[in-house]
């Protein structure tokens, strides 16, 4: 284990604010890994909407300033803490968290948040596993208790979590409906597990979804934009249907009566609330998906670290999602 403090290129946030507070520095000190940590040379890092809320200072969990954003890294182990036996230098890995931040050339991560990256997945794909797939699993299995044969609507199927959810739901034997806002997004959902797709920018798309269920309604909805859709979702549900709130960017008025006759439910999901046991179970299921081949992250726009501010604008205000956004380092 080296004890020399390295200077690396990394994006730093000195104060909370707009995308421009993401500054690329070239002299960021990186501590050597502690006993149960590893040092990873980062090849790619996933870009997630939550990182924009944290950067803006509007998220419930605020890091101590200054900080480097990013949790979903993939790369190669460069150094090991003295107690680490499960990895060796040169191993390809991905992470579900980091200690020093992922928008960087190197990162330090605690060994219990590091996983081997299978050979058949690229580094970019490795950076698209953590938040998207662990959230999709938590929503579909832990919260919705979805069963084979049920109809699921992935309301926002063209982004990181949506594509993961389509692949996962299809592999679990559900009938999968997905929505997107562009032809590219619709095709992506279809190519990644959706049986039927609908454009959420069309006026009558909710009627079309209802029609496609034969009038019985949707059993499970994984909702990426609940502040727009929750009222419509409650109308779409079947008897005993469940809406799982994954994404929300503001308040919405609903009529609670819409849940009564159908005894439907609304459940929130937070990946940060997952226990260690939940993470272990999700990881086991997701590794089975990598082995079987259905877990295949689809990469969308790629950015260098210099373009971090642009990436944060695009993930919130882009013209339409086309897969997972990543930094390539
Ligand atoms: P993303 O890659 O940016 O994708 C956003 C998705 O939302 C796209 O499929 C987009 O479709 C869709 N969308 C846009 N307008 C919509 C509308 N009117 N109705 C339905 N969907 C719409 O983001 P992500 O990583 O998949 O995350 C999605 C949301 O989940 C974000 O709000 C994120 O913060 C949240 N999230 C929450 C958790 C949690 O633990 N609760 C974990 C991860 C993510 P088009 O672009 O094709 O229109």
């Amino acid at each position: 284990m080296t004890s020399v403090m390295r200077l690396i290129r990394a994006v730093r946030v000195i104060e909370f604010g707009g995308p421009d507070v993401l500054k690329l520095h070239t002299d960021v000190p990186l501590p050597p890994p502690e006993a149960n940590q590893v040092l990873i040379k980062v090849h790619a890092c996933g870009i997630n909407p939550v990182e924009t809320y944290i950067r803006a200072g509007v998220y419930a969990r605020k890091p101590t300033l200054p900080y480097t954003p990013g949790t979903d890294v993939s790369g190669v182990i460069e150094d090991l803490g003295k107690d680490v036996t499960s990895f060796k230098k040169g191993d390809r890995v991905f992470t579900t968290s980091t200690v020093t931040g992922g928008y960087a050339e190197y990162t330090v991560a605690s060994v219990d948040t590091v996983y081997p990256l299978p050979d058949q997945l690229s580094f970019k794909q490795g950076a698209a596993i953590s938040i998207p797939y662990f959230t999709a699993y938590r929503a579909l299995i832990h919260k919705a208790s979805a069963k084979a044969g049920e109809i699921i609507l992935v309301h926002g199927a063209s982004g990181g979590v949506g594509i993961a959810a389509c692949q996962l739901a299809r592999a679990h034997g559900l009938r999968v409906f997905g929505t997107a806002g562009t032809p590219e997004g619709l095709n992506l959902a279809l190519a990644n597990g959706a049986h039927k797709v609908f454009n959420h920018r069309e006026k009558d798309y909710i009627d079309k979804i209802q029609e496609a269920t034969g009038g019985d309604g949707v059993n499970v909805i994984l909702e990426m934009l609940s502040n727009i859709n929750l009222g419509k979702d409650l109308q779409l549900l079947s008897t005993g249907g469940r809406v799982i709130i994954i994404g929300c960017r503001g308040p919405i008025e609903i009529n609670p009566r819409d849940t009564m006759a159908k005894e439907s439910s609304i459940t929130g999901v937070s990946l940060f609330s997952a226990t260690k046991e939940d993470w272990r179970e999700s990881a086991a299921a997701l590794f089975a998906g990598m082995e079987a081949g259905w877990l295949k992250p689809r990469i969308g726009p790629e950015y260098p670290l210099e373009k971090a501010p642009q990436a944060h604008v695009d993930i919130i205000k882009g013209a339409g999602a086309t897969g997972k956004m990543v930094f390539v380092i």
Side-chain angles (χ1 to χ4, degrees), residues 22 24 47 302-314 327:
L22 297 166
L24 182 60
I47 304 163
E302 300 174 18
Y303 299 83
L305 287 178
E306 290 80 351
K307 297 276 184 202
Q310 189 61 50
H312 271 210
V313 170
D314 293 349
F327 288 113

Side-chain angles (χ1 to χ4, degrees), residues 47-51 53 59 131-132 135-136 138 154-163 179-182 185-186 199-201 205 223-226 228-229 232 245-249 268-273 314-316 318-325:
I47 304 163
N48 293 288
V50 69
E51 290 142 23
Y53 321 145
Y59 197 64
I131 287 187
T135 300
R138 187 162 185 76
V154 180
H155 214 161
S158 48
V161 180
I163 289 172
T179 76
T182 63
L186 293 166
N199 188 331
H200 50 232
R201 293 187 194 166
Y205 82 100
E223 183 52 63
M224 305 302 156
L225 203 56
S226 49
I228 301 291
N229 295 325
K232 294 178 262 181
I245 308 289
I246 299 178
C248 181
R249 294 189 178 154
V269 68
S270 166
L271 189 55
F272 291 124
S273 302
D314 293 349
I315 197 157
I316 300 299
T322 50
K324 179 73 199 170
M325 284 189 183

Side-chain angles (χ1 to χ4, degrees), residues 53 57 68-69 80 88 120 127 146 153 164 182 194 207 251 268 288 303 318 321 324 328:
Y53 321 145
T68 295
L80 307 158
K88 59 183 186 325
Q120 74 272 20
L153 172 66
T182 63
D207 297 338
Y303 299 83
K324 179 73 199 170
V328 178

Side-chain angles (χ1 to χ4, degrees), residues 136-215:
Y137 189 85
R138 187 162 185 76
L140 189 76
I141 306 298
H142 289 157
K143 297 299 160 191
S145 305
K147 295 181 185 63
E150 288 192 308
I151 298 180
I152 183 171
L153 172 66
V154 180
H155 214 161
S158 48
V161 180
I163 289 172
C166 287
Q167 292 177 353
L168 183 63
R170 181 74 180 246
H172 277 73
L174 283 97
R175 181 146 180 81
V176 183
F177 295 174
T179 76
T182 63
E184 293 87 341
L186 293 166
N187 286 334
L188 204 51
L190 268 181
N192 284 282
H195 292 91
K196 277 184 179 294
V197 289
F198 305 86
N199 188 331
H200 50 232
R201 293 187 194 166
E202 274 178 17
K203 238 181 158 179
D204 60 346
Y205 82 100
I206 293 288
D207 297 338
K208 288 183 182 167
I209 296 172
Q210 193 61 274
E211 234 176 82
T213 70

